[in-house]
Amino acid sequence: MQEQRGTYNVKSGLAEMLKGGVIMDVTTPEQAAIAEKAGAVAVMALERVPADIRKAGGVARMADPRIVQSIQEAVSIPVMAKVRIGHFVEAQVLEALEVDYIDESEVLTPADDQYHIDKWQFNIPFVCGARDLGEALRRIAEGAAMIRTKGEPGTGNVVEAVRHLRQVNSEIRHVVATPEAELADLAKELRAPLELVKQVKELGRLPVVNFSAGGVATAADAALMMQLGADGIFVGSGVFKSQNPEKTARAIVRATLHYNAPKVIAEVSKDVGEAMPGLEMATLAPKDRMQDRGI
Amino acid sequence: MRIGVLAIQGDVREHILHTEKAGAEALPVRMARDLDNTQGLIIPGGESTTIGMLMAEYGIIDAIKERAADGRYPIYGTCAGMILLADKVVGLSPARLALMDMAVSRNAYGRQIASFEVNLSIDVLGAEPFPAVFIRAPKIVQWGSSITPLAWYEKELVMAESGPYLISSFHPEMSPDVRIHQYFLEKVRQAAALVDAS
């Protein structure tokens, strides 16, 4: 047999290797080096972190390829980058740059209000956001090899991350408890392919790795999401919008590993300085809610 | 028989399931004390920089080295685990166990786009080819005479052993085939027999 690249096994396999780890948003090679040194398993190369995207307003797009490349040169861990929902040419560009993972992300302004990218056309794996099980399975059906619950990016408020992970988990429990004969109906209700719903019933979990994203700002936040069942953590603005990024990054990595050891979490949370300033959900206008994009 | 699976980060669950399927009990190892009552250890795939750093910080490197000092504590390292067992690492060099006389180069096949799967012929497993998954895999660039090669792909050494230690640059836990885990369990059995005899 010839060697085969870009298989689903190889794509979802990289996500499996990231489990139990923290993926950090970075905007410069210096930040990428800080993230790697703190123990991040991967970095997300961006032009602006979500909190700044919120502040700037207007249309947010894929980062300048030069930024992506300078970050690739700065670290040895995997480098991810974001494309707008449905913008398959931005994805082609990132594939040409050989990023390790593409995030088709609601943090950027959607380019297509109807369709996501047909991710099966790519050899590079994709991660997509989801607020519930149906959304997660639709993205997997389109070829996503990794899921992250959406939360509400750039807020430093973990409440939506918690809501979405609990929602996915409670729907998985419902699928597991549903008799085989009623699965087709349930699949229709979830607007998800029956085959994937069957797989969820068999496995008792999503068929791919599921990280938590959108609002993690402290070590305790990260451990909270891990205890709720996340496979790992994305930290967007939480590290580099905090008072002391090095310490915050180190604390979040260690709390993600020892999420069940409150004494360790207490130890690593000491003297890390102030977390990023947070936003209360009620202050967000509907147009500012990123999680409602691309569902 | 109880096998520890280092559970700092990476595909821990897959190694635990494979070890159980191969016929042994598998326990996640997060702290040094979790090594107690294990007769062997598997170091899974993941990010070697992250795993090595956190192993060192929580005293796990020292604890494993102490346990391995008599040469009768088998360890199997896959991908990142192989890097952590190597004496030398080319380029950025993570904290590690350094128990095997070899030099490895991280991500030497290239970035994720170059990750691949292929069926390998591995003599010690029999005639049936083994489905091997290589993900941002390292290469063994140099090795000493204590290393016994077990499998090759395109002239690269991809699986080897040395005394109680076994390594592969690919991931056997990403396919349903458990023969490599069975092979490792056999090494653990032999080491345990030696301990009993002494």
Side-chain angles (χ1 to χ4, degrees):
Chain A
M1 188 183 87
Q2 277 290 304
E3 75 173 49
Q4 290 180 293
R5 296 185 178 192
T7 61
Y8 199 66
N9 216 4
V10 160
K11 289 177 172 177
S12 57
L14 178 55
E16 302 286 350
M17 300 314 147
L18 301 173
K19 276 189 302 195
V22 181
I23 301 167
M24 298 181 193
D25 279 7
V26 298
T27 58
T28 63
E30 293 74 27
Q31 289 185 353
I34 290 172
E36 183 173 50
K37 223 176 136 202
V41 290
V43 292
M44 177 77 70
L46 282 166
E47 211 153 310
R48 294 192 182 105
V49 295
D52 289 335
I53 289 174
R54 245 177 222 295
K55 233 182 270 167
V59 174
R61 312 177 180 91
M62 173 187 77
D64 183 326
R66 190 171 296 286
I67 293 180
V68 176
Q69 275 177 331
S70 66
I71 289 168
Q72 284 175 313
E73 284 158 17
V75 293
S76 64
I77 54 179
V79 175
M80 305 184 164
K82 288 185 194 291
V83 298
R84 286 178 268 179
I85 289 170
H87 206 314
F88 50 84
V89 173
E90 285 187 347
Q92 291 165 3
V93 170
L94 291 186
E95 183 166 61
L97 293 174
E98 299 193 358
V99 303
D100 294 293
Y101 238 95
I102 294 174
D103 184 2
E104 187 181 20
S105 175
E106 67 282 4
V107 167
L108 305 183
T109 311
D112 190 324
D113 59 8
Q114 238 187 330
Y115 297 103
H116 279 70
I117 296 170
D118 175 6
K119 294 167 271 289
W120 298 109
Q121 301 306 317
F122 292 80
N123 280 328
I124 295 286
F126 281 73
V127 54
C128 287
R131 300 167 314 166
D132 55 44
L133 181 60
E135 210 176 322
L137 296 181
R138 287 196 290 282
R139 299 295 86 80
I140 295 168
E142 294 156 3
M146 177 181 184
I147 293 292
R148 53 174 176 74
T149 45
K150 284 177 169 174
E152 187 58 41
T155 61
N157 187 339
V158 80
V159 66
E160 296 299 295
V162 169
R163 186 204 311 282
H164 298 157
L165 190 56
R166 280 197 187 276
Q167 179 68 28
V168 168
N169 287 343
S170 107
E171 287 175 303
I172 289 173
R173 285 193 297 272
H174 180 55
V175 168
V176 170
T178 300
E180 200 75 31
E182 296 170 21
L183 277 189
D185 220 53
L186 182 56
K188 234 179 279 170
E189 208 178 289
L190 291 168
R191 296 194 294 129
L194 175 59
E195 266 322 297
L196 289 176
V197 176
K198 280 184 176 166
Q199 239 178 304
V200 168
K201 181 175 167 68
E202 200 178 304
L203 294 168
R205 56 173 172 82
L206 284 180
V208 301
V209 167
N210 182 22
F211 272 45
S212 168
V216 171
T218 67
D221 286 351
L224 172 68
M225 300 318 297
M226 292 301 287
Q227 284 198 27
L228 287 171
D231 288 321
I233 304 290
F234 277 97
V235 188
S237 319
V239 170
F240 290 100
K241 284 288 158 186
S242 70
Q243 196 182 32
N244 190 329
E246 274 109 329
K247 283 188 181 169
T248 303
R250 286 181 59 85
I252 290 175
V253 167
R254 279 133 193 94
T256 300
L257 163 61
H258 291 297
Y259 65 89
N260 263 331
K263 279 185 182 158
V264 177
I265 302 168
E267 199 52 45
V268 301
S269 301
K270 282 179 188 162
D271 306 319
V272 290
E274 268 191 60
M276 69 177 283
L279 278 179
E280 180 52 53
M281 288 308 135
T283 64
L284 286 187
K287 70 171 177 48
D288 295 326
R289 283 162 56 92
M290 292 173 172
Q291 59 176 279
D292 300 331
R293 297 166 166 177
I295 57 179
Chain B
M1 185 164 37
R2 265 200 221 104
I3 305 297
V5 177
L6 187 72
I8 302 273
Q9 187 272 311
D11 66 337
V12 178
R13 178 178 60 208
E14 288 64 29
H15 270 294
I16 289 181
L17 292 173
H18 258 52
T19 304
E20 287 170 351
K21 248 171 84 183
E25 202 180 324
L27 301 168
V29 172
R30 283 206 172 79
M31 297 282 200
R33 62 168 180 272
D34 299 332
L35 292 165
D36 294 346
N37 303 317
T38 63
Q39 284 91 52
L41 181 72
I42 294 177
I43 306 180
E47 276 308 309
S48 56
T49 49
T50 308
I51 298 176
M53 176 188 308
L54 295 171
M55 279 172 90
E57 270 178 41
Y58 291 98
I60 300 175
I61 289 189
D62 292 340
I64 294 172
K65 281 187 138 173
E66 200 176 300
R67 201 165 272 269
D70 66 356
R72 288 170 188 171
Y73 186 65
I75 304 175
Y76 174 30
T78 60
C79 194
M82 168 175 116
I83 295 166
L84 296 171
L85 281 167
D87 262 350
K88 293 194 200 74
V89 174
V90 179
L92 183 82
S93 167
R96 61 193 182 283
L97 296 162
L99 290 169
M100 293 176 77
D101 180 15
M102 59 183 187
V104 301
S105 172
R106 296 173 59 221
N107 313 325
Y109 289 86
R111 301 181 191 279
Q112 172 63 13
I113 191 117
S115 293
F116 61 97
E117 45 187 318
V118 71
N119 285 336
L120 290 180
S121 95
I122 304 175
D123 288 346
V124 292
L125 301 181
E128 180 79 19
F130 189 91
V133 182
F134 291 78
I135 296 174
R136 287 172 44 94
K139 280 183 183 172
I140 306 164
V141 291
Q142 208 186 320
W143 58 93
S145 56
S146 63
I147 304 279
T148 308
L150 296 177
W152 301 85
Y153 176 65
E154 305 241 296
K155 295 181 182 155
E156 301 289 345
L157 178 58
V158 295
M159 180 176 168
E161 64 187 349
S162 161
Y165 310 125
L166 179 67
I167 45 109
S168 63
S169 54
F170 56 89
H171 295 277
E173 74 285 4
M174 299 300 305
S175 74
D177 199 321
V178 298
R179 280 179 295 160
I180 294 182
H181 284 71
Q182 285 165 342
Y183 183 80
F184 177 63
L185 293 185
E186 190 48 43
K187 282 177 91 69
V188 177
R189 252 174 236 117
Q190 283 167 12
L194 277 174
V195 173
D196 286 346
S198 61

